[in-house]
Amino acid sequence: MYTIGIVIPYFGKKPISYDAWEATAVANDTIDFYIFTDILEIKDNRNIHVINCTFEECRSMIQKVIDFEICLESPYKLCDYRPVYGLAFKDWLKDYDFWGYCDLDVLFGNLRHYFTDEVLKYSDRCLENGHISLWKNNKKMNTMFKYNDRGGENYEQVYKSPESFYFDEQAGVFTKCLINGVQFCAPVPLRDPMTHCDKFYYLNENQNDQYVIYWEKGKLYAIHPDRKVELCYAHFFRRKFKAAPVYKSIDSIKIVPGLISYNAEVVESDFDVSEKKGYSWKS
């Protein structure tokens, strides 16, 4: 089995969605997650490995592999540096076939169902967004961010600026990958509820159709009254949630707009839940 190590630098406050993320990450027990954080409430848990460090110490790890002075003034800017993680965190990732990164506002399904050995055998990279992305652990992929010959943002411009360029996605290394012959795996089903709508819906579908996101026994689903779709992962970009307390082990997770519930069944009223507040793509 191809080995996978995922790196998540995260600083500040423990996310409200962390318990849900943790449960779905632990269920993917053949993948290792390394969290670099100053949040003391986040602890090791089976395949989740916590490296306690400050933001400044994390910045120093990244600076060591860039040969000019970088601009990294806030944790949010770390997104632009994700393509550097294969080098910056090589002491933790050197023995893995693939390394990657992910957000903490996601829930995972059974990742190995989609990232099989057959898929990884012929792939240099899996998924192009920052929600979760896997990179083959070799020199070409670990230095892809430096490819400035054709297309994509110039990494020196990105790393000398305090602005966010979304360099880890379409504006940066995705373009570099495409024009430099990187082999992507086939698309996988994901759920990315849009921030400007009060319902959870699929792109190109009726925005009034509500889906409930439900995780159980290591599998993740988008549930509609007349259909149920298994997902690789679900992303909740800048959504605001309240979370029910976790009193015991998490056997299931249910998410509707505005609320994360644990060990609760999907009921008919879940499909009528909506959020009054709209969300913007901007901070």
Side-chain angles (χ1 to χ4, degrees):
M1 180 181 290
Y2 287 96
T3 54
I4 300 171
I6 293 178
V7 171
I8 310 116
Y10 195 93
F11 301 92
K13 292 177 61 177
K14 181 180 175 181
I16 194 83
S17 59
Y18 182 79
D19 291 330
W21 176 88
E22 180 184 43
T24 67
V26 167
N28 284 280
D29 57 4
T30 64
I31 298 174
D32 288 323
F33 297 87
Y34 293 89
I35 304 179
F36 293 77
T37 186
D38 58 358
I39 305 171
L40 298 180
E41 302 100 297
I42 294 179
K43 305 291 187 182
D44 287 352
N45 188 356
R46 292 172 57 184
N47 56 327
I48 296 175
H49 313 283
V50 177
I51 297 88
N52 291 121
C53 67
T54 64
F55 172 67
E56 289 72 23
E57 288 170 331
C58 181
R59 181 192 183 282
S60 179
M61 294 178 201
I62 295 172
Q63 178 64 80
K64 286 178 181 178
V65 299
I66 305 291
D67 57 6
F68 54 82
E69 186 69 23
I70 63 172
C71 184
L72 180 51
E73 299 173 351
S74 69
Y76 188 75
K77 176 69 175 175
L78 280 166
C79 293
D80 280 339
Y81 289 91
R82 283 169 163 172
V84 183
Y85 287 178
L87 296 179
F89 301 106
K90 62 180 180 295
D91 288 346
W92 291 270
L93 298 172
K94 61 185 177 183
D95 294 327
Y96 292 93
D97 299 311
F98 284 80
W99 62 270
Y101 43 78
C102 72
D103 291 333
L104 292 180
D105 58 351
V106 299
L107 265 65
F108 300 123
N110 180 359
L111 296 178
R112 288 287 187 178
H113 177 72
Y114 303 95
F115 306 132
T116 63
D117 275 6
E118 188 65 19
V119 166
L120 295 179
K121 180 179 180 181
Y122 297 103
S123 300
D124 298 310
R125 188 177 174 194
C126 295
L127 304 179
E128 68 272 15
N129 291 317
H131 324 152
I132 177 173
S133 186
L134 304 182
W135 297 60
K136 183 170 283 188
N137 198 1
N138 60 25
K139 183 177 180 180
K140 177 180 179 178
M141 297 306 297
N142 292 352
T143 57
M144 183 59 60
F145 67 93
K146 294 184 178 182
Y147 283 45
N148 289 328
D149 53 338
R150 300 171 294 160
E153 295 282 0
N154 182 298
Y155 82 102
E156 292 190 30
Q157 175 187 354
V158 173
Y159 293 162
K160 290 180 179 180
S161 170
E163 302 298 320
S164 293
F165 287 78
Y166 303 98
F167 187 63
D168 57 323
E169 296 189 335
Q170 278 74 8
V173 290
F174 177 65
T175 300
K176 296 179 188 296
C177 287
L178 288 180
I179 63 179
N180 285 286
V182 168
Q183 296 297 310
F184 278 85
C185 69
V188 301
L190 61 91
R191 186 74 184 86
D192 197 6
M194 306 302 287
T195 55
H196 61 279
C197 295
D198 58 359
K199 299 279 191 180
F200 290 171
Y201 73 100
Y202 274 111
L203 288 174
N204 304 319
E205 289 197 12
N206 188 335
Q207 295 184 14
N208 292 317
D209 277 356
Q210 172 78 301
Y211 284 82
V212 174
I213 304 304
Y214 193 73
W215 177 87
E216 185 179 33
K217 297 180 180 178
K219 293 187 177 182
L220 185 68
Y221 303 95
I223 299 176
H224 185 271
D226 61 9
R227 53 193 174 275
K228 180 179 181 180
V229 183
E230 186 173 354
L231 305 176
C232 177
Y233 73 91
H235 178 227
F236 302 96
F237 180 70
R238 294 186 184 171
R239 286 274 185 172
K240 304 295 184 183
F241 289 102
K242 293 181 179 180
V246 181
Y247 294 116
K248 54 183 179 179
S249 63
I250 297 174
D251 298 316
S252 66
I253 303 166
K254 179 177 69 175
I255 301 187
V256 297
L259 182 65
I260 302 172
S261 301
Y262 300 104
N263 304 331
E265 297 295 326
V266 176
V267 296
E268 186 175 350
S269 60
D270 291 332
F271 299 104
D272 296 322
V273 176
S274 62
E275 291 175 285
K276 301 300 181 184
K277 180 181 177 180
Y279 297 102
S280 166
W281 286 102
K282 298 180 180 180
S283 299

